[in-house]
């Protein structure tokens, strides 16, 4: 049991690469934590960490040990959770990777409500655009938009977001209101790089339109803002445009037509999840609009 406890302490240090933070999370003095890790290294017979006054790094052996032991520690922790009250009121740090604009614009109120329901959970969110590696990095979950291709991970569908066309009232007053998707070829259309063709649906009818514009932007928040500044037409999930629509800064364009719905997934490394992660997924499934 002592080996498993020391293994858990090592996983916490390896996840943060910071002894002080790991000590705070573990609730033991920094000096005790350092001594326990040193004893673990002596027991194994290999150095697991390079420690200097400035930083902590994993050795090659430490990286291998981390990858092999993380799941062992997680499964042991989950077993205890499932036998106790933590299943009803989970605790611990929820480490999640979230899509930047969607999280900021739409998920923030949901996260606030989730945090109020589960006061024992603390949060570490990574909102950088990069795709984190759930196998080698210390994340419990990643929220991703769009179809997923990595079959080695577990993807749970949270919602399918309806995608509509929007523009500012001033833009439409200056440039005219499109009456058919083919009219979009004469308009400024804002979007991601290489998004030069929009596919639109109306009941059983589907049409593809080649669109163009002066702005190609890889940020939903940015091109939503550009649309409110009268610079063109955008295609967005309803939830992302809702605030601007309610304020009158945007209005629907071609309301009978819609884009391909955008799926939102919860991605995890394993199906065996701690209570904090399971509750977060269940909450998002119940509260993200279908």
């Amino acid at each position: 049991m002592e080996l498993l406890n020391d293994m858990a302490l090592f996983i916490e240090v390896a996840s943060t690469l910071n002894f002080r933070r790991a000590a705070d999370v573990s609730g033991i003095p920094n000096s005790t934590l350092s001594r326990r890790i040193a004893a673990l290294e002596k027991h194994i017979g290999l150095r697991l960490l390079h420690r200097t006054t400035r930083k902590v790094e994993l050795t090659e052996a430490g990286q291998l040990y981390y990858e092999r032991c993380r799941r062992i520690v997680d499964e042991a922790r989950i077993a205890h959770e499932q036998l106790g009250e933590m299943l009803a009121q989970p605790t611990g740090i929820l480490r999640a990777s979230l899509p930047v604009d969607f999280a900021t614009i739409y998920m923030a109120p949901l996260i606030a409500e989730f945090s109020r329901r589960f006061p024992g959970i603390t949060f570490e969110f990574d909102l950088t655009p990069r795709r984190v590696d759930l196998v080698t990095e210390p994340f419990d979950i990643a929220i991703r938009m769009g179809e997923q291709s990595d079959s080695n991970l577990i993807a749970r569908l949270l919602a399918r977001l309806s995608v509509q066309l929007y523009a500012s009232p001033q833009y439409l007053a200056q440039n005219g209101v499109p009456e058919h998707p083919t009219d979009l070829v004469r308009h400024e259309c804002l979007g991601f790089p290489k998004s030069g063709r929009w596919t639109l649906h109306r009941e059983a009818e589907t049409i593809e339109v080649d669109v163009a514009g002066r702005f190609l932007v890889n940020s939903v928040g940015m091109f939503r803002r550009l649309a409110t500044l009268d610079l063109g037409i955008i295609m967005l999930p309803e939830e992302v445009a809702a605030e601007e629509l309610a304020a009158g800064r945007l209005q629907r364009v071609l309301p009978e037509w819609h884009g391909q719905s955008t799926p939102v997934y919860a991605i995890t490394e394993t199906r065996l999840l701690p209570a904090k992660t399971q509750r977060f997924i269940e909450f998002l499934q119940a509260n993200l609009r279908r």
Side-chain angles (χ1 to χ4, degrees):
M1 190 65 180
E2 184 177 356
L3 176 61
L4 184 60
N5 288 336
D6 288 348
M7 188 186 296
L9 293 177
F10 168 74
I11 294 301
E12 196 61 51
V13 174
S15 297
T16 60
L17 294 178
N18 187 300
F19 269 84
R20 187 173 298 280
R21 288 181 63 189
D24 290 342
V25 171
S26 304
I28 63 175
N30 190 31
S31 58
T32 301
L33 176 61
S34 181
R35 186 170 62 254
R36 294 276 293 275
I37 297 299
L40 178 64
E41 291 176 318
K42 183 177 180 180
H43 177 80
I44 294 171
L46 289 171
R47 172 89 45 199
L48 300 175
L49 298 168
H50 286 305
R51 283 173 273 187
T52 69
T53 56
R54 290 190 173 185
K55 62 182 179 179
V56 177
E57 294 180 327
L58 289 169
T59 64
E60 183 178 358
Q63 182 65 42
L64 177 62
Y65 193 67
Y66 172 73
E67 292 171 4
R68 294 291 180 86
C69 295
R70 188 168 64 130
R71 181 167 293 183
I72 295 172
V73 171
D74 285 345
E75 290 183 0
R77 185 178 293 117
I78 289 166
H80 281 277
E81 286 186 20
Q82 291 177 337
L83 294 174
E85 294 181 356
M86 287 183 69
L87 191 60
Q89 284 297 326
T91 62
I93 301 175
L94 179 65
R95 297 182 175 97
S97 172
L98 307 175
V100 180
D101 297 310
F102 185 66
T104 304
I105 295 168
Y106 184 65
M107 288 186 66
L110 299 180
I111 291 169
E113 176 60 26
F114 180 79
S115 70
R116 285 190 285 268
R117 291 192 189 185
F118 299 100
I121 298 177
T122 56
F123 303 87
E124 289 185 9
F125 292 144
D126 182 302
L127 272 68
T128 58
R130 72 186 183 92
R131 297 247 167 181
V132 300
D133 187 339
L134 293 172
V135 177
T136 62
E137 296 185 73
F139 288 95
D140 300 296
I141 186 173
I143 305 300
R144 293 287 176 256
M145 301 177 70
E147 297 299 342
Q148 304 299 306
S149 59
D150 192 337
S151 59
N152 294 323
L153 300 174
I154 308 302
R156 295 170 176 81
L157 182 66
L158 299 178
R160 288 192 177 274
L161 307 180
S162 177
V163 174
Q164 309 290 343
L165 297 172
Y166 302 93
S168 70
Q170 183 65 24
Y171 173 85
L172 296 174
Q174 292 174 347
N175 298 276
V177 178
E179 297 182 358
H180 188 268
T182 54
D183 295 337
L184 294 172
V185 299
R186 297 188 293 273
H187 284 268
E188 287 283 333
C189 295
L190 310 174
F192 282 90
K194 300 182 181 179
S195 60
R197 177 169 293 182
W198 286 354
T199 302
L200 300 174
H201 307 273
R202 182 177 61 181
E203 298 179 351
E205 186 177 0
T206 297
I207 188 170
E208 291 187 346
V209 184
D210 290 322
V211 298
R214 296 168 58 204
F215 295 92
L216 297 179
V217 186
N218 65 349
S219 164
V220 171
M222 180 61 175
F223 70 71
R224 185 186 73 155
R225 179 61 174 143
L226 292 176
T228 66
L229 296 173
D230 317 320
L231 290 175
I233 298 173
I234 55 174
M235 188 159 59
L236 281 180
E238 284 185 90
E239 291 75 11
V240 178
E243 182 180 338
E244 306 292 356
L245 192 65
R249 291 185 287 268
L250 292 177
Q251 67 183 61
R252 286 280 300 276
V253 176
L254 297 170
E256 295 181 354
W257 294 84
H258 61 87
Q260 186 69 35
S261 63
T262 299
V264 182
Y265 290 96
I267 311 295
T268 59
E269 180 196 359
T270 175
R271 295 186 185 277
L272 188 61
L273 301 175
K276 61 186 179 182
T277 309
Q278 186 63 43
R279 293 294 170 267
F280 189 56
I281 292 173
E282 293 169 353
F283 178 84
L284 293 180
Q285 286 176 324
N287 290 279
L288 283 175
R289 296 180 186 176
R290 292 271 176 180

